[in-house]
Amino acid sequence: MKLVRKDLEKDNAGQVTLIPEEPEDMWHTYNLLQVGDSLRASTIRKVQTESSTGSVGSNRIRTTLTLCVEAIDFDSQACQLRVKGTNIQENEYVKMGAYHTIELEPNRQFTLAKKQWDSVVLERIEQACDPAWSADVAAVVMQEGLANVCLVTPSMTLTRAKVEVNIPRKRKGNCSQHDRALERFYEQVVQAIQRHINFEVVKCVLVASPGFVREQFCDYMFQQAVKTDNKLLLENRSKFLQVHSSSGHKYALKEALCDPAVTSRLSDTKAAGEVKALDDFYKMLQHEPDRAFYGLKQVEKANEAMAIDTLLISDELFRHQDVATRARYVKLVDSVRENMGTVRIFSSLHVSGEQLGQLTGVAAILRFPVAELSDQEDESSSEED
Protein backbone atom coordinates (compact mmCIF):
# COMPACT_ATOMS: atom_id res chain seq x y z
CA MET A 1 0.00 0.00 0.00
CA LYS A 2 1.28 3.45 -0.87
CA LEU A 3 0.42 6.49 1.28
CA VAL A 4 -0.01 9.50 -1.02
CA ARG A 5 -1.30 12.06 1.47
CA LYS A 6 -2.43 12.30 5.07
CA ASP A 7 -4.38 15.34 6.36
CA LEU A 8 -5.50 14.91 9.96
CA GLU A 9 -6.76 17.63 12.32
CA LYS A 10 -5.98 17.88 16.05
CA ASP A 11 -9.28 16.15 16.88
CA ASN A 12 -8.23 13.26 14.56
CA ALA A 13 -10.79 14.11 11.88
CA GLY A 14 -9.47 14.29 8.33
CA GLN A 15 -8.65 12.32 5.22
CA VAL A 16 -6.04 9.94 3.84
CA THR A 17 -5.21 9.21 0.19
CA LEU A 18 -3.91 5.69 -0.53
CA ILE A 19 -3.03 3.49 -3.50
CA PRO A 20 -3.53 -0.28 -2.96
CA GLU A 21 -0.72 -2.11 -4.78
CA GLU A 22 -1.32 -5.80 -3.98
CA PRO A 23 -4.41 -8.01 -3.52
CA GLU A 24 -3.77 -8.06 0.25
CA ASP A 25 -4.07 -4.27 0.33
CA MET A 26 -7.77 -4.70 -0.50
CA TRP A 27 -8.12 -6.58 2.83
CA HIS A 28 -6.43 -3.70 4.66
CA THR A 29 -8.76 -1.23 2.89
CA TYR A 30 -11.79 -3.32 3.94
CA ASN A 31 -10.64 -2.99 7.56
CA LEU A 32 -10.20 0.79 7.21
CA LEU A 33 -13.70 1.41 5.81
CA GLN A 34 -16.70 1.96 8.07
CA VAL A 35 -20.32 2.90 7.44
CA GLY A 36 -20.62 6.70 7.56
CA ASP A 37 -17.13 7.39 6.13
CA SER A 38 -16.81 9.31 2.89
CA LEU A 39 -14.94 7.67 0.02
CA ARG A 40 -13.72 9.48 -3.09
CA ALA A 41 -12.54 7.36 -6.02
CA SER A 42 -12.62 6.97 -9.77
CA THR A 43 -15.47 4.76 -11.01
CA ILE A 44 -17.50 3.88 -14.11
CA ARG A 45 -21.11 5.05 -14.37
CA LYS A 46 -23.68 4.20 -17.03
CA VAL A 47 -25.09 7.52 -18.26
CA GLN A 48 -28.12 8.00 -20.51
CA THR A 49 -27.71 10.59 -23.27
CA GLU A 50 -30.30 12.12 -25.57
CA SER A 51 -29.27 13.21 -29.06
CA SER A 52 -30.68 16.23 -30.96
CA THR A 53 -33.05 13.91 -32.83
CA GLY A 54 -34.50 12.66 -29.54
CA SER A 55 -33.01 9.15 -29.60
CA VAL A 56 -31.80 7.91 -26.21
CA GLY A 57 -28.51 6.04 -25.83
CA SER A 58 -26.34 5.01 -22.92
CA ASN A 59 -22.59 5.35 -22.45
CA ARG A 60 -20.21 4.07 -19.80
CA ILE A 61 -18.28 7.06 -18.49
CA ARG A 62 -15.36 7.16 -16.05
CA THR A 63 -15.91 9.81 -13.40
CA THR A 64 -14.78 10.58 -9.84
CA LEU A 65 -17.45 10.31 -7.13
CA THR A 66 -17.56 10.96 -3.40
CA LEU A 67 -19.86 8.55 -1.57
CA CYS A 68 -21.16 8.39 1.98
CA VAL A 69 -20.47 4.69 2.71
CA GLU A 70 -23.55 2.57 3.47
CA ALA A 71 -22.45 -1.02 2.70
CA ILE A 72 -19.09 -2.75 2.22
CA ASP A 73 -18.69 -6.11 0.48
CA PHE A 74 -15.36 -7.97 0.43
CA ASP A 75 -14.60 -11.19 -1.46
CA SER A 76 -11.60 -12.71 0.38
CA GLN A 77 -10.68 -15.23 -2.32
CA ALA A 78 -10.78 -12.82 -5.27
CA CYS A 79 -9.62 -9.90 -3.04
CA GLN A 80 -12.32 -7.66 -4.53
CA LEU A 81 -13.91 -4.80 -2.62
CA ARG A 82 -17.22 -3.11 -3.46
CA VAL A 83 -18.47 -0.06 -1.58
CA LYS A 84 -22.10 1.09 -1.90
CA GLY A 85 -23.28 4.53 -0.86
CA THR A 86 -24.96 7.80 -1.83
CA ASN A 87 -23.29 10.60 -3.80
CA ILE A 88 -22.51 13.59 -1.53
CA GLN A 89 -20.68 15.87 -3.98
CA GLU A 90 -21.93 17.66 -7.10
CA ASN A 91 -21.18 15.72 -10.29
CA GLU A 92 -22.28 16.37 -13.88
CA TYR A 93 -23.33 12.71 -14.40
CA VAL A 94 -24.67 11.67 -10.98
CA LYS A 95 -27.29 13.49 -8.92
CA MET A 96 -26.76 14.31 -5.25
CA GLY A 97 -28.12 11.48 -3.10
CA ALA A 98 -28.09 8.95 -5.96
CA TYR A 99 -26.86 5.45 -5.12
CA HIS A 100 -23.69 4.09 -6.66
CA THR A 101 -21.30 1.17 -6.04
CA ILE A 102 -17.56 1.81 -6.38
CA GLU A 103 -15.35 -1.21 -7.01
CA LEU A 104 -11.96 -0.37 -5.54
CA GLU A 105 -9.10 -1.69 -7.68
CA PRO A 106 -5.36 -2.22 -7.14
CA ASN A 107 -3.14 0.63 -8.43
CA ARG A 108 -6.03 3.14 -8.46
CA GLN A 109 -5.95 5.75 -5.73
CA PHE A 110 -8.81 6.60 -3.37
CA THR A 111 -9.35 9.17 -0.62
CA LEU A 112 -11.00 8.14 2.64
CA ALA A 113 -12.36 10.74 5.08
CA LYS A 114 -13.44 10.02 8.66
CA LYS A 115 -14.82 12.13 11.51
CA GLN A 116 -12.52 10.20 13.87
CA TRP A 117 -9.34 8.27 13.00
CA ASP A 118 -8.63 6.04 16.00
CA SER A 119 -5.30 4.40 16.94
CA VAL A 120 -6.24 0.96 15.53
CA VAL A 121 -7.06 2.34 12.06
CA LEU A 122 -3.90 4.49 11.96
CA GLU A 123 -1.80 1.46 12.99
CA ARG A 124 -3.42 -0.55 10.18
CA ILE A 125 -2.30 2.10 7.64
CA GLU A 126 1.27 2.02 9.01
CA GLN A 127 1.38 -1.78 8.69
CA ALA A 128 -0.15 -1.78 5.20
CA CYS A 129 2.43 0.74 3.98
CA ASP A 130 5.38 -1.16 5.47
CA PRO A 131 7.06 -3.19 2.66
CA ALA A 132 8.29 -5.84 5.14
CA TRP A 133 4.68 -6.97 5.60
CA SER A 134 4.27 -9.04 2.41
CA ALA A 135 3.47 -12.73 1.86
CA ASP A 136 6.67 -14.53 2.80
CA VAL A 137 5.36 -17.98 3.80
CA ALA A 138 3.66 -20.62 1.67
CA ALA A 139 2.28 -23.95 2.88
CA VAL A 140 1.23 -27.24 1.34
CA VAL A 141 -0.99 -29.09 3.84
CA MET A 142 -1.58 -32.61 2.57
CA GLN A 143 -2.69 -36.18 3.16
CA GLU A 144 -3.11 -38.99 0.62
CA GLY A 145 -5.51 -37.69 -2.03
CA LEU A 146 -6.00 -34.17 -0.57
CA ALA A 147 -3.72 -31.11 -0.59
CA ASN A 148 -4.26 -27.40 0.14
CA VAL A 149 -1.74 -24.93 -1.27
CA CYS A 150 -1.89 -21.78 0.89
CA LEU A 151 -0.16 -18.41 1.10
CA VAL A 152 0.33 -17.14 4.64
CA THR A 153 0.55 -13.34 4.58
CA PRO A 154 0.82 -11.21 7.73
CA SER A 155 -2.94 -10.64 7.72
CA MET A 156 -4.59 -13.58 5.99
CA THR A 157 -4.30 -17.24 4.99
CA LEU A 158 -5.27 -17.60 1.34
CA THR A 159 -6.07 -21.01 -0.12
CA ARG A 160 -4.66 -20.74 -3.62
CA ALA A 161 -5.39 -24.31 -4.78
CA LYS A 162 -7.14 -27.42 -3.50
CA VAL A 163 -6.07 -30.73 -5.09
CA GLU A 164 -8.32 -33.78 -4.62
CA VAL A 165 -7.60 -37.16 -6.27
CA ASN A 166 -9.36 -40.43 -5.45
CA ILE A 167 -6.63 -42.95 -4.52
CA PRO A 168 -7.66 -46.66 -4.52
CA ARG A 169 -6.44 -48.88 -1.68
CA LYS A 170 -3.45 -51.16 -2.12
CA ARG A 171 -4.44 -54.74 -2.98
CA LYS A 172 -2.51 -57.91 -2.29
CA GLY A 173 -0.03 -58.48 -5.08
CA ASN A 174 -1.30 -55.47 -7.10
CA CYS A 175 -0.35 -51.94 -6.12
CA SER A 176 -0.18 -50.47 -9.64
CA GLN A 177 -3.56 -48.64 -9.48
CA HIS A 178 -2.72 -47.13 -6.09
CA ASP A 179 0.78 -46.06 -7.23
CA ARG A 180 -0.47 -44.54 -10.51
CA ALA A 181 -3.17 -42.53 -8.70
CA LEU A 182 -0.64 -41.36 -6.10
CA GLU A 183 1.79 -40.25 -8.81
CA ARG A 184 -1.01 -38.35 -10.56
CA PHE A 185 -1.89 -36.66 -7.23
CA TYR A 186 1.74 -35.66 -6.55
CA GLU A 187 2.08 -34.28 -10.09
CA GLN A 188 -1.00 -32.07 -9.65
CA VAL A 189 0.34 -30.73 -6.33
CA VAL A 190 3.73 -29.91 -7.95
CA GLN A 191 1.90 -28.01 -10.73
CA ALA A 192 -0.14 -26.08 -8.13
CA ILE A 193 3.06 -25.13 -6.25
CA GLN A 194 4.70 -23.82 -9.43
CA ARG A 195 1.57 -21.92 -10.47
CA HIS A 196 0.73 -20.24 -7.16
CA ILE A 197 3.99 -19.74 -5.22
CA ASN A 198 6.20 -16.80 -6.10
CA PHE A 199 9.66 -17.94 -4.97
CA GLU A 200 11.06 -14.42 -5.33
CA VAL A 201 8.92 -13.30 -2.38
CA VAL A 202 8.39 -16.50 -0.38
CA LYS A 203 11.12 -17.24 2.19
CA CYS A 204 9.81 -20.63 3.27
CA VAL A 205 7.45 -23.36 1.95
CA LEU A 206 6.01 -25.62 4.65
CA VAL A 207 5.09 -29.15 3.54
CA ALA A 208 2.85 -30.54 6.29
CA SER A 209 1.18 -33.94 6.51
CA PRO A 210 0.48 -36.91 8.78
CA GLY A 211 2.72 -40.00 8.45
CA PHE A 212 5.26 -40.20 5.65
CA VAL A 213 3.22 -38.43 2.97
CA ARG A 214 5.37 -35.26 3.05
CA GLU A 215 8.67 -37.21 2.72
CA GLN A 216 7.33 -39.29 -0.18
CA PHE A 217 5.95 -36.21 -1.91
CA CYS A 218 9.19 -34.20 -1.55
CA ASP A 219 11.25 -37.16 -2.81
CA TYR A 220 8.97 -37.45 -5.85
CA MET A 221 8.99 -33.67 -6.53
CA PHE A 222 12.78 -33.29 -6.47
CA GLN A 223 13.40 -36.53 -8.42
CA GLN A 224 11.10 -35.19 -11.15
CA ALA A 225 12.79 -31.77 -10.96
CA VAL A 226 16.19 -33.42 -11.59
CA LYS A 227 14.78 -35.48 -14.50
CA THR A 228 13.12 -32.48 -16.17
CA ASP A 229 15.87 -30.02 -15.15
CA ASN A 230 13.31 -27.83 -13.36
CA LYS A 231 15.57 -24.97 -12.21
CA LEU A 232 12.79 -23.17 -10.31
CA LEU A 233 12.32 -26.06 -7.85
CA LEU A 234 15.99 -27.09 -7.68
CA GLU A 235 17.22 -23.55 -6.92
CA ASN A 236 14.62 -23.14 -4.14
CA ARG A 237 15.03 -26.59 -2.60
CA SER A 238 16.41 -25.12 0.65
CA LYS A 239 13.15 -23.18 1.18
CA PHE A 240 11.09 -26.38 1.61
CA LEU A 241 10.57 -27.41 5.23
CA GLN A 242 8.83 -30.67 6.19
CA VAL A 243 6.63 -30.61 9.32
CA HIS A 244 3.94 -32.77 10.90
CA SER A 245 0.21 -32.00 10.75
CA SER A 246 -2.77 -34.16 11.75
CA SER A 247 -4.49 -33.94 8.32
CA GLY A 248 -4.44 -32.29 4.91
CA HIS A 249 -7.21 -29.81 5.77
CA LYS A 250 -6.55 -26.06 6.02
CA TYR A 251 -7.21 -25.91 9.79
CA ALA A 252 -4.21 -28.26 10.37
CA LEU A 253 -1.95 -25.40 9.24
CA LYS A 254 -1.99 -24.01 12.80
CA GLU A 255 -0.21 -27.16 14.06
CA ALA A 256 2.44 -26.76 11.37
CA LEU A 257 3.03 -23.11 12.29
CA CYS A 258 3.41 -24.12 15.98
CA ASP A 259 6.27 -26.52 15.22
CA PRO A 260 9.49 -25.19 16.90
CA ALA A 261 11.50 -25.78 13.69
CA VAL A 262 9.02 -23.56 11.86
CA THR A 263 8.83 -20.79 14.48
CA SER A 264 12.63 -20.42 14.50
CA ARG A 265 12.59 -20.15 10.70
CA LEU A 266 9.68 -17.70 10.66
CA SER A 267 10.68 -15.72 13.75
CA ASP A 268 10.32 -12.42 11.89
CA THR A 269 6.81 -12.99 10.54
CA LYS A 270 3.63 -11.72 12.18
CA ALA A 271 1.81 -15.01 11.47
CA ALA A 272 4.25 -16.99 13.63
CA GLY A 273 3.92 -14.41 16.44
CA GLU A 274 0.14 -14.73 16.45
CA VAL A 275 0.25 -18.52 16.54
CA LYS A 276 2.75 -18.51 19.43
CA ALA A 277 0.65 -15.99 21.42
CA LEU A 278 -2.48 -18.15 21.00
CA ASP A 279 -0.50 -21.28 21.93
CA ASP A 280 0.81 -19.52 25.08
CA PHE A 281 -2.77 -18.54 25.98
CA TYR A 282 -4.03 -22.15 25.70
CA LYS A 283 -1.09 -23.43 27.81
CA MET A 284 -1.83 -20.78 30.45
CA LEU A 285 -5.54 -21.65 30.40
CA GLN A 286 -4.63 -25.29 31.04
CA HIS A 287 -1.98 -24.82 33.75
CA GLU A 288 -2.82 -21.46 35.39
CA PRO A 289 -6.45 -20.60 34.56
CA ASP A 290 -6.33 -17.55 36.88
CA ARG A 291 -3.86 -15.95 34.42
CA ALA A 292 -5.83 -16.58 31.19
CA PHE A 293 -9.09 -14.72 30.59
CA TYR A 294 -11.38 -14.41 27.57
CA GLY A 295 -14.60 -12.52 26.89
CA LEU A 296 -14.84 -8.71 26.86
CA LYS A 297 -16.13 -8.18 30.44
CA GLN A 298 -13.53 -10.50 31.98
CA VAL A 299 -10.68 -8.93 30.00
CA GLU A 300 -11.86 -5.38 30.84
CA LYS A 301 -11.87 -6.25 34.57
CA ALA A 302 -8.35 -7.66 34.28
CA ASN A 303 -7.31 -4.46 32.51
CA GLU A 304 -8.74 -2.34 35.36
CA ALA A 305 -6.41 -4.29 37.67
CA MET A 306 -3.54 -3.45 35.22
CA ALA A 307 -2.89 -7.20 35.02
CA ILE A 308 -2.76 -7.72 31.23
CA ASP A 309 0.60 -8.78 29.84
CA THR A 310 -0.60 -9.76 26.34
CA LEU A 311 -3.95 -8.85 24.78
CA LEU A 312 -5.16 -11.05 21.90
CA ILE A 313 -7.92 -9.39 19.88
CA SER A 314 -9.52 -10.15 16.50
CA ASP A 315 -9.67 -7.43 13.84
CA GLU A 316 -13.28 -8.52 13.23
CA LEU A 317 -14.29 -6.68 16.44
CA PHE A 318 -13.09 -3.35 14.99
CA ARG A 319 -15.53 -3.77 12.08
CA HIS A 320 -18.49 -3.57 14.48
CA GLN A 321 -21.22 -1.30 13.05
CA ASP A 322 -22.06 0.18 16.47
CA VAL A 323 -19.68 3.13 17.05
CA ALA A 324 -19.83 2.83 20.86
CA THR A 325 -18.95 -0.90 20.81
CA ARG A 326 -16.05 -0.30 18.42
CA ALA A 327 -14.80 2.59 20.61
CA ARG A 328 -14.88 0.22 23.61
CA TYR A 329 -12.47 -2.18 21.88
CA VAL A 330 -10.19 0.68 20.76
CA LYS A 331 -10.15 2.04 24.35
CA LEU A 332 -9.16 -1.42 25.65
CA VAL A 333 -6.24 -1.64 23.15
CA ASP A 334 -5.01 1.88 24.02
CA SER A 335 -5.29 1.22 27.75
CA VAL A 336 -3.31 -2.07 27.61
CA ARG A 337 -0.54 -0.29 25.67
CA GLU A 338 -0.46 2.57 28.20
CA ASN A 339 0.02 -0.05 30.94
CA MET A 340 3.05 -1.44 29.03
CA GLY A 341 1.18 -4.54 27.82
CA THR A 342 1.62 -6.17 24.39
CA VAL A 343 -1.31 -6.05 21.95
CA ARG A 344 -1.65 -8.63 19.17
CA ILE A 345 -4.37 -7.86 16.64
CA PHE A 346 -5.27 -11.16 14.94
CA SER A 347 -6.56 -11.33 11.37
CA SER A 348 -9.92 -13.10 11.14
CA LEU A 349 -8.70 -14.55 7.81
CA HIS A 350 -5.89 -16.44 9.56
CA VAL A 351 -6.37 -19.90 11.08
CA SER A 352 -5.21 -18.48 14.45
CA GLY A 353 -7.72 -15.60 14.07
CA GLU A 354 -10.54 -18.07 13.37
CA GLN A 355 -9.68 -19.91 16.59
CA LEU A 356 -9.58 -16.69 18.59
CA GLY A 357 -13.01 -15.88 17.11
CA GLN A 358 -14.35 -19.03 18.79
CA LEU A 359 -13.13 -17.58 22.12
CA THR A 360 -15.30 -14.42 21.64
CA GLY A 361 -12.49 -12.71 19.68
CA VAL A 362 -10.80 -11.21 22.75
CA ALA A 363 -8.50 -12.91 25.28
CA ALA A 364 -5.65 -11.97 27.62
CA ILE A 365 -2.60 -13.51 29.25
CA LEU A 366 -2.15 -11.89 32.68
CA ARG A 367 1.03 -10.81 34.49
CA PHE A 368 -0.27 -12.14 37.80
CA PRO A 369 -3.27 -14.27 38.87
CA VAL A 370 -6.51 -12.39 39.40
CA ALA A 371 -8.51 -14.88 41.41
CA GLU A 372 -11.10 -12.33 42.60
CA LEU A 373 -12.76 -12.27 39.18
CA SER A 374 -13.38 -16.01 39.28
CA ASP A 375 -14.62 -15.69 42.88
CA GLN A 376 -16.96 -12.82 41.98
CA GLU A 377 -18.43 -14.92 39.17
CA ASP A 378 -18.98 -17.86 41.53
CA GLU A 379 -20.67 -15.55 44.10
CA SER A 380 -22.92 -13.91 41.49
CA SER A 381 -23.95 -17.29 40.03
CA SER A 382 -24.75 -18.65 43.54
CA GLU A 383 -26.82 -15.50 44.27
CA GLU A 384 -28.78 -16.04 41.06
CA ASP A 385 -29.45 -19.64 42.11
Side-chain angles (χ1 to χ4, degrees), residues 32-49:
L32 296 176
L33 286 163
Q34 285 169 274
V35 172
D37 292 349
S38 79
L39 175 73
R40 183 173 174 79
S42 170
T43 183
I44 291 172
R45 177 83 173 186
K46 202 173 180 181
V47 177
Q48 284 199 332
T49 52

Side-chain angles (χ1 to χ4, degrees), residues 7 43 50 66 79 108 133 154 193 214 229 279:
D7 298 315
T43 183
E50 193 174 328
T66 305
C79 283
R108 201 178 285 281
W133 278 63
I193 287 172
R214 56 189 178 275
D229 193 27
D279 201 38

Side-chain angles (χ1 to χ4, degrees), residues 300-369:
E300 279 181 329
K301 280 178 185 172
N303 184 48
E304 282 167 23
M306 292 168 71
I308 295 179
D309 183 45
T310 307
L311 176 70
L312 289 62
I313 189 162
S314 169
D315 61 9
E316 201 167 13
L317 302 178
F318 300 112
R319 293 198 294 274
H320 206 287
Q321 297 299 340
D322 180 42
V323 178
T325 308
R326 183 194 152 85
R328 195 173 162 188
Y329 290 120
V330 173
K331 187 182 171 188
L332 175 65
V333 167
D334 291 343
S335 176
V336 169
R337 283 188 176 138
E338 279 168 23
N339 295 330
M340 307 306 286
T342 305
V343 176
R344 288 204 171 272
I345 298 176
F346 282 60
S347 168
S348 53
L349 286 192
H350 254 319
V351 253
S352 52
E354 286 170 15
Q355 280 200 306
L356 183 61
Q358 289 162 10
L359 289 170
T360 72
V362 60
I365 299 169
L366 308 190
R367 295 187 176 106
F368 47 83

Side-chain angles (χ1 to χ4, degrees), residues 8 55 96 101 127 129 151 164 199 231 241 250 254 272 279-280 341 370:
L8 298 187
S55 61
M96 290 279 283
T101 300
Q127 290 173 354
C129 297
L151 288 180
E164 287 183 285
F199 285 100
K231 287 195 172 76
L241 184 63
K250 182 184 161 184
K254 180 188 171 284
D279 201 38
D280 290 346
V370 184

